Amino acid sequence: MQAFAFEPCELPPGADALRAEVRAFLDAEASDILVPARARSWVGFDADFSRKLGQRGWLGMTWPAPYGAGRSALERYVVIEELLAAGAPVAAHWIAERQSGPLILRFGTDEQRETLLPGIAAGESYFCIGMSEPDSGSDLASIRSKAEPAEVNGEKGWIVDGRKVWTTYAQHSHYMIALLRTGEAGENRHGGTTQFIIDLASPGVTVQPIRNMIGDAEFNEVTFDDVFVPDTMLVGEEGTGWRQVTAELAFERSGPDRFLSAFALLKELVRVAGEAPTDMAASAIGRLYAHLSTLRAMSLSVAAQLDAGAEPALEAAFVKDLGVMFEQSVPEIAHQVIGASPRIDHGGDFEKTLAYVQQACVSFSLRGGTTEIMRGVIARGLGLR
């Protein structure tokens, strides 16, 4: 049986100074964001804000020169934590900086790094993830979108056909890193997949927004009809997609976004409860704070493991699963404690924030893999299946 480890982690020297620097930046650049809008945080799309983060050197900050400043994952953690706690709009660069850049840095070619990483670090090049598919959901072993070898106008590459769904902000992205079937799955179903960087401006790509229950067009369906992808855009080696995706998802499943997606509502709950909260409010807020603190310590431990070059897929799945349960509990607890009903259009800050988080939290379990998938990963990791 594999053991999981969440060793305590201390932030590096200078973290307090960096935190103060980020807070001063947010005071200057994000103080006018209304409270309900802060609840959207990492789905808030603001290209100008992302560009300003790039100018400060806070995107790709862990990447080595010449692509980044070579700072630690824990320093980046401080920046991300402050941005999310403040409800800053980070969606434009979010996926590119969190997942796509590190993936290209680790598995990509020198040409891919030189071509793509500077734009990500500048907050000017946006990526989306192409994993989930219709009839597959989070079961990536069952994907059917495929890439077949081809030569077009003398250039070697691949012809891509298929569909990807739940693709966050594909309508604004320049590239997708897609997991595609290039061979037989094999007995463990994990073989025969390869990752490709697809230029979403290519002929044959269709992006169709999917409006969610809140009315936002955050997700998309992306269709590929005979899309040519050059050989130079294959990431890693043919057939190694499963291993690369597993490593990539560790970045997605364990960050501060796994326990700060409902933070704006928690702050509103504390504000409305006031300086002399009822016993019920004090108990509820204390319990939420304890859960939040524990999740943060676990998340920091995973960040330290990633910083050391480990692949803590099991630990990241734990953080993701527990984080989703915590975040989805916040709206109901806030409603019970305050007694106010959610009102998306005409309420005060608490009611509007409650309304948004209550509807949005339904999708929290989808991001980075469903609860069922997470618990399958955990069970396999512990040797229980």
Side-chain angles (χ1 to χ4, degrees):
M1 177 183 292
Q2 178 182 338
F4 56 87
F6 288 100
E7 296 294 330
C9 169
E10 296 290 335
L11 291 172
D16 289 343
L18 176 59
R19 192 181 298 280
E21 188 181 349
V22 178
R23 289 182 178 179
F25 169 81
L26 289 168
D27 285 342
E29 301 293 343
S31 60
D32 59 345
I33 300 175
L34 299 177
V35 171
R38 292 177 186 273
R40 296 175 181 269
S41 189
W42 65 283
V43 298
F45 196 100
D46 186 330
D48 189 48
F49 185 82
S50 291
R51 193 176 300 110
K52 289 177 180 177
L53 288 176
Q55 291 168 353
R56 296 298 295 257
W58 290 337
L59 301 182
M61 60 189 292
T62 65
W63 304 346
Y67 310 115
R71 303 182 75 165
S72 73
L74 294 177
E75 289 177 297
R76 177 182 178 275
Y77 194 99
V78 169
V79 174
I80 299 300
E81 190 172 48
E82 287 301 319
L83 293 175
L84 294 182
V90 298
H93 67 269
W94 187 252
I95 291 171
E97 200 269 347
R98 181 185 65 177
Q99 287 176 244
S100 307
L103 182 83
I104 293 169
L105 197 61
R106 181 171 180 182
F107 298 108
T109 64
D110 286 342
E111 180 183 348
Q112 290 168 357
R113 297 185 190 102
E114 292 165 4
T115 303
L116 299 170
L117 294 184
I120 297 175
E124 296 175 348
S125 183
Y126 315 139
F127 280 63
C128 60
I129 301 168
M131 294 187 189
S132 298
E133 295 184 2
D135 304 321
S136 293
S138 295
D139 180 15
L140 299 182
S142 66
I143 63 166
R144 292 181 293 181
S145 294
K146 63 182 181 180
E148 296 182 333
E151 185 169 328
V152 175
N153 297 327
E155 184 176 12
K156 291 185 176 180
W158 304 74
I159 294 294
V160 175
D161 288 284
R163 282 191 294 166
K164 296 291 181 180
V165 290
W166 312 122
T167 310
T168 304
Y169 286 132
Q171 73 270 46
H172 301 309
S173 296
H174 303 100
Y175 300 97
M176 170 191 285
I177 295 186
L179 181 70
L180 301 171
R181 185 152 298 288
T182 52
E184 297 298 322
E187 291 186 4
N188 67 3
R189 304 171 67 229
H190 297 167
T193 58
T194 305
Q195 287 186 297
F196 293 87
I197 302 167
I198 300 178
D199 184 340
L200 294 179
S202 300
V205 177
T206 303
V207 179
Q208 182 66 43
I210 301 171
R211 199 162 293 280
N212 61 24
M213 62 188 293
I214 311 171
D216 294 342
E218 173 189 342
F219 300 125
N220 293 269
E221 178 180 81
V222 182
T223 304
F224 303 104
D225 292 312
D226 293 334
V227 176
F228 178 70
V229 179
D231 257 348
T232 54
M233 299 300 250
L234 188 153
V235 183
E237 298 178 5
E238 182 183 347
T240 61
W242 184 268
R243 172 174 167 263
Q244 293 174 196
V245 162
T246 301
E248 179 185 349
L249 286 172
F251 292 101
E252 182 179 0
R253 291 172 174 167
S254 59
D257 43 315
R258 294 307 168 202
F259 56 88
L260 290 177
S261 299
F263 191 67
L265 179 57
L266 182 55
K267 289 173 67 175
E268 275 300 288
L269 171 60
V270 172
R271 181 187 67 80
V272 174
E275 295 183 357
T278 64
D279 289 346
M280 178 183 180
S283 175
I285 292 170
R287 189 178 297 275
L288 288 171
Y289 177 79
H291 289 174
L292 181 71
S293 298
T294 302
L295 282 165
R296 180 176 184 268
M298 295 172 70
S299 174
L300 269 170
S301 177
V302 174
Q305 293 180 58
L306 291 170
D307 201 30
E311 295 183 5
L314 176 59
E315 288 80 0
F318 264 109
V319 174
K320 205 272 184 179
D321 188 39
L322 294 175
V324 166
M325 285 196 291
F326 165 74
E327 293 189 317
Q328 291 184 334
S329 75
V330 174
E332 183 62 27
I333 292 171
H335 171 68
Q336 290 175 351
V337 169
I338 302 302
S341 297
R343 301 175 66 186
I344 196 73
D345 293 324
H346 305 295
D349 285 344
F350 177 83
E351 290 87 351
K352 289 181 178 178
T353 304
L354 174 61
Y356 174 77
V357 176
Q358 192 168 57
Q359 294 178 85
C361 74
V362 177
S363 69
F364 289 177
S365 60
L366 299 177
R367 304 179 306 201
T370 64
T371 297
E372 291 77 12
I373 293 294
M374 289 303 96
R375 293 179 182 175
V377 171
I378 293 168
R380 277 193 298 274
L382 295 177
L384 301 176
R385 57 178 293 191

